[in-house]
Amino acid sequence: MPPDMLFLAALDGIAYGSLIFLVAVGLSLIFGVLGVLNVAHGSFYAIGAYVAASAVLAAAGMGLPTWLAFPLFLISAILVGVVVGGAVEALLLRRIYGKEEVLQLLVTFAVFMILEDAQKVIFGVRPLFANAPMNWLGTVEVFGIYYTNYQLILIPLVALAVLVGLRLFLRRTSFGRAIVAVTQDREAAMAMGINATSIYLFTFMIGASLAALGGALSSATTSLTPGIGSGMIVLSFAVAATAGLGRIEGAAVAALMIGLGRSAAVYFAPEFDVLIPYLIMVAVLLIKPEGLFTTLQTRKV
Amino acid sequence: MAIKGSAVAVFALGALMALPALAQDKPKELVVGVATFLSGPASVFGVPGKNAADLFFEEINAKGGILGVPVKPVYVDEGAGTNQLISEYRRVVQDQGAQVMFGAISSGSCNALAPVAEDLKVVNVMWDCGTQTIFEEGKWKYSVRTQGHAGAEMMATLLYLMKVKPDFKTIAVVNQDYAWGRESWALLQAGLKALKPDVKVVAELFPKFGAPDFSTEITRLSALRPDVVISTSWGGDLDTFVQQAAARGLLKQSTFVLPLAESSMERLGNVMPEGVIVGSRGDHYFLHPKYKNTAEMQGFVKKYKDKTGVYPIYPTFHMNQAVTGLVKAYEKAGAAAGGKWPSKEQVIAAFEGLEFKSLTGTITIRSDHQGLEDQMLGTTKRVPEFPFAVYDKIALYPGKLVTTPVGEKSLDWFAKVKPELVNDKSIETFDYVK
């Protein structure tokens, strides 16, 4: 395999890993703060994709310029995160914090199933197709092979912005610090006057918006069909578990590993293409059962 | 004399006992259970199938039903998984009294349901599944397939490729990683070995079913530059693959062969360029060169489009074949029963040798219960009349020519296919005409 091919394979891996990161980091954030493993996260991804694609198609139908798709992606992601995510947290999840993990899994799985059906009722089962934003950004030639700027540049840039933005938000803003405080010790944080309820709600909305943003961005490259959410939730679970649940930087590294691993598989051993994310996950968890980036937690007396 | 009298009595008794099997009282309604994907990614085919079934059954009922009995369709979701499908299938037969079942879309479902239908002794019409092995490896009394199978579809694809691009030297495959993707490739490979033994397979890629991203596969194909790229993918996967490949210029670099693309043409709109080889799992196409102007076709296309907003795709035509076949089988069996309501056994027997006209070609059901349908392939062309690509350079392959003969297995038959078949006189050709 010539080195230029390896480089090209790496580019594919980065583009793919970036998209998974966007979704997985939301899942990880929600788990880190709320302690809930949210299966319905896949629905936020799917609904984000459907809403964004519908908005882009509607805008195109009205003759609006294609570049409007990019702000529309952001708006629809926030809208889905706030409205759907907010509703799920406030109406349902709030009641099961601190309960058994099995119950949380069952409840979020039920939400996932309900939202799957809701998607079919609202958006139908006909594949939705809105690739204009991808084509609008054009292609770039690397070693004689054409890439879309959308996948090669835009998606990794957005992922990087989210990573840096989340880090800065959690460490440099008072609200971000309050979130971290609640994560560390909810009771102590509440004693200091932090409103944990609104922090939970807000964090859940951010996590859901990130999944929806991943969906919105993928709507330009993928044909949206029923069931897209389940595929993504499995992958983001693999990323989050590899990284160590709740670790943001870890999610970035794990998503990249899985992206590059999958790319390498397509080049060298296509048979392993489907298996590779899970092989990576198993390999990491065998060596570090808490995930790559989890530090040992001291037990509170 | 006494012996003779008893013999007559026994004969008469036997005839009386045989009567219920020969003819029955007409039921109040004929419940037809239809297994189709109402959930999951395959619902992009399952729901159009259901929409079409609703239309066809409404039409039949408007004309007084089958032999005067109204039909009541009951739908079963294939997307719920095989175990649940089997129990739902049983429930519809045993509790709702279905005398006929349409099962199903997925080959996995068809394989699972055939023995259940035998057990329940219910007429089972395989309305869409494609695996060629069902009647090649099993013999099912109560099951029948009203359409072609993967063998016929892949043979026609090979013959078309050999005809329009005989000089290709390298080929790559990108198929979904499940039974259909693997089996269809096995058939094509066997045929390629026989027809073009010097062809080199440069890549065999099997991305996950429902994969959202084919960038890596596309990069690899761009680097390998195969003469031909073949993909038997369908639904959203095919749309995504074509969309991403088109954006990166790959569709112009290699000849693409997409045997299931008929169902994606409208959705792909301006993404699908000219020069791509497309197929339709049979001769299903609303612009079928021989039948697009018939009153039946135009009426159906209009009704379907009014109801769903889109043009009909192949599962809707497969549903037409299943419903039409059922009506014709009942009529044949009813006539044989002297105008009485036929038994299930008489209906399934009537399917053997049955010939009926569908919205497109004529379907014949062979003695092994496998249907013969024509196969149509074409090359995409852009025309001002439609906002999506249409078929040009159409070739119509008679079902009999491309379907594995009774008693033979498709993989063996593919291995001995002769190049003469490519130019067989029975193949009709057409260009796109407005």
Side-chain angles (χ1 to χ4, degrees):
Chain A
M1 180 71 55
D4 56 337
M5 286 314 294
L6 274 179
F7 178 71
L8 293 172
L11 291 183
D12 287 316
I14 291 168
Y16 186 62
S18 301
L19 191 66
I20 311 173
F21 164 75
L22 281 174
V23 186
V25 76
L27 182 81
S28 233
L29 181 72
I30 289 172
F31 182 83
V33 179
L34 284 68
V36 172
L37 204 48
N38 177 30
V39 182
H41 201 66
S43 300
F44 301 141
Y45 166 81
I47 295 172
Y50 272 115
V51 170
S54 308
V56 167
L57 289 174
M62 286 186 266
L64 297 171
T66 310
W67 60 262
L68 260 182
F70 301 101
L72 278 176
F73 284 166
L74 202 60
I75 294 167
S76 44
I78 294 171
L79 201 71
V80 171
V82 170
V83 176
V84 188
V88 168
E89 201 279 340
L91 299 175
L92 211 61
L93 290 190
R94 199 165 281 184
R95 297 160 201 273
I96 55 163
Y97 291 140
K99 296 257 166 70
E100 280 175 65
E101 276 167 11
V102 173
L103 183 75
Q104 295 179 344
L105 274 178
L106 277 177
V107 168
T108 55
F109 185 62
V111 174
F112 174 76
M113 299 295 276
I114 294 166
L115 290 179
E116 280 274 291
D117 275 351
Q119 285 159 47
K120 271 196 287 175
V121 171
I122 299 167
F123 303 103
V125 298
R126 220 145 47 78
L128 215 58
F129 206 62
N131 62 339
M134 176 175 76
N135 294 337
W136 187 77
L137 280 180
T139 53
V140 59
E141 199 185 323
V142 186
F143 292 123
I145 284 166
Y146 287 98
Y147 280 90
T148 60
N149 287 322
Y150 189 91
Q151 284 169 296
L152 192 66
I153 298 166
L154 181 81
I155 293 183
L157 272 184
V158 173
L160 193 66
V162 164
L163 176 64
V164 174
L166 262 183
R167 270 188 73 120
L168 289 178
F169 168 70
L170 288 177
R171 291 181 186 183
R172 300 282 167 83
T173 65
S174 57
F175 200 84
R177 287 200 194 114
I179 290 178
V180 177
V182 172
T183 316
Q184 298 295 326
D185 191 330
R186 182 182 167 147
E187 280 173 21
M190 283 171 77
M192 311 256 308
I194 293 174
N195 182 350
T197 310
S198 60
I199 290 220
Y200 274 25
L201 176 65
F202 189 70
T203 308
F204 197 82
M205 285 174 174
I206 298 179
S209 296
L210 286 172
L213 182 64
L217 284 171
S218 71
S219 71
T221 65
T222 295
S223 151
L224 309 181
T225 47
I228 50 166
S230 54
M232 196 40 110
I233 192 65
V234 175
L235 263 182
S236 24
F237 264 91
V239 167
T242 310
L245 279 159
R247 319 307 296 191
I248 288 163
E249 295 82 0
V253 174
L256 210 55
M257 278 170 67
I258 285 176
L260 292 174
R262 187 182 159 272
S263 228
V266 173
Y267 276 75
F268 304 113
E271 293 295 326
F272 288 93
D273 156 21
V274 176
L275 209 59
I276 209 82
Y278 313 106
L279 283 181
I280 292 175
M281 181 176 82
V282 168
V284 167
L285 295 185
L286 276 176
I287 300 162
K288 254 194 125 205
E290 288 87 23
L292 274 180
F293 285 77
T294 311
T295 45
L296 277 179
Q297 293 205 346
T298 46
R299 192 164 63 94
K300 276 187 279 181
V301 181
Chain B
M1 190 67 195
I3 293 170
K4 201 175 167 192
S6 335
V8 169
V10 167
F11 178 76
L13 191 68
L16 272 175
M17 284 171 69
L19 258 182
L22 289 171
Q24 299 174 338
D25 287 337
K26 273 186 188 176
K28 264 207 327 254
E29 58 183 12
L30 175 65
V31 178
V32 178
V34 181
T36 183
F37 279 98
L38 301 174
S39 63
S43 49
V44 301
F45 286 172
V47 172
K50 177 190 180 290
N51 289 338
D54 281 335
L55 279 180
F56 295 133
F57 287 129
E58 266 166 37
E59 269 176 22
I60 288 169
N61 288 341
K63 286 181 197 157
I66 296 180
L67 303 179
V69 174
V71 182
K72 184 186 169 200
V74 176
Y75 295 97
V76 176
D77 184 10
E78 221 182 313
T82 309
N83 284 339
Q84 197 174 331
L85 173 65
I86 290 175
S87 44
E88 280 288 290
Y89 189 94
R90 279 187 186 281
R91 187 185 60 74
V92 171
V93 175
Q94 289 173 327
D95 295 351
Q96 293 191 255
Q99 298 211 14
V100 178
M101 294 298 288
F102 283 6
I105 289 184
S106 151
S107 296
S109 306
C110 280
N111 274 322
L113 292 179
V116 182
E118 295 295 292
D119 185 30
L120 296 169
K121 296 189 170 36
V122 64
V123 175
N124 181 46
V125 182
M126 296 174 177
W127 70 275
D128 186 70
C129 60
T131 181
Q132 73 281 3
T133 58
I134 287 178
F135 295 115
E136 288 179 3
E137 286 171 12
K139 193 164 164 50
W140 307 108
K141 180 184 169 190
Y142 286 91
S143 288
V144 63
R145 175 151 51 194
T146 45
Q147 37 107 22
H149 62 47
E153 290 151 18
M154 292 307 117
M155 179 56 77
T157 303
L158 266 180
L159 298 182
Y160 189 84
L161 175 63
M162 293 293 298
K163 176 79 184 169
V164 300
K165 197 180 167 60
D167 55 347
F168 67 97
K169 293 190 170 57
T170 53
I171 190 165
V173 61
V174 187
N175 279 4
Q176 289 149 316
D177 193 11
Y178 80 111
W180 165 254
R182 300 268 173 186
E183 280 180 17
S184 54
W185 177 231
L187 287 168
L188 287 168
Q189 242 182 329
L192 277 171
K193 237 181 217 168
L195 289 173
K196 215 170 163 52
D198 55 336
V199 75
K200 205 171 152 215
V201 179
V202 293
E204 291 177 66
L205 304 172
F206 289 92
K208 188 172 69 123
F209 184 80
D213 183 70
F214 298 93
S215 303
T216 317
E217 284 82 359
I218 291 166
T219 305
R220 189 151 181 238
L221 293 174
S222 307
L224 290 167
R225 295 181 172 269
D227 296 332
V228 170
V229 174
I230 196 158
S231 175
T232 63
S233 302
W234 55 268
D237 292 18
L238 179 63
D239 295 0
T240 302
F241 178 54
V242 172
Q243 184 185 15
Q244 293 179 353
R248 296 175 59 180
L250 188 61
L251 292 177
K252 292 196 169 115
Q253 188 188 303
S254 302
T255 298
F256 267 63
V257 181
L258 310 170
L260 275 75
E262 179 265 353
S263 56
S264 290
M265 301 275 267
E266 184 176 5
R267 291 194 302 267
L268 283 167
N270 58 10
V271 172
M272 181 73 97
E274 296 198 325
V276 175
I277 294 174
V278 289
S280 40
R281 285 207 63 207
D283 62 342
H284 312 300
Y285 192 35
F286 77 102
L287 293 173
H288 193 295
K290 282 166 92 173
Y291 305 107
K292 68 176 175 182
N293 291 325
T294 61
E296 293 83 17
M297 178 67 99
Q298 293 198 333
F300 169 62
V301 172
K302 186 179 180 317
K303 259 194 210 165
Y304 187 83
K305 201 157 188 278
D306 286 349
K307 181 173 174 166
T308 64
V310 285
Y311 288 102
I313 53 172
Y314 75 72
T316 69
F317 290 96
H318 278 167
M319 186 55 80
N320 166 258
Q321 285 163 219
V323 174
T324 313
L326 184 71
V327 173
K328 297 292 173 195
Y330 261 97
E331 285 172 0
K332 185 177 160 190
K340 295 263 173 60
W341 184 253
S343 69
K344 290 184 280 188
E345 287 72 22
Q346 286 171 319
V347 175
I348 198 73
F351 267 108
E352 280 185 35
L354 187 71
E355 214 177 272
F356 60 92
K357 178 82 185 65
S358 72
L359 278 166
T360 50
T362 299
I363 313 295
T364 313
I365 310 290
R366 304 193 306 198
S367 59
D368 61 349
H369 290 197
Q370 170 60 50
L372 288 179
E373 71 175 340
D374 296 349
Q375 297 289 330
M376 183 164 79
L377 281 107
T379 304
T380 54
K381 176 189 175 85
R382 313 237 27 133
V383 294
E385 296 87 67
F386 292 97
F388 48 87
V390 296
Y391 279 49
D392 188 30
K393 297 179 191 152
I394 298 166
L396 202 55
Y397 297 87
K400 209 173 167 190
L401 182 79
V402 288
T403 311
T404 315
V406 180
E408 284 196 58
K409 293 200 170 161
S410 288
L411 269 175
D412 302 336
W413 188 63
F414 270 61
K416 51 186 190 194
V417 60
K418 295 275 182 302
E420 296 91 83
L421 213 56
V422 174
N423 292 310
D424 194 274
K425 283 198 184 83
S426 61
I427 302 164
E428 291 177 90
T429 55
F430 310 83
D431 281 332
Y432 174 79
V433 183
K434 192 176 168 182

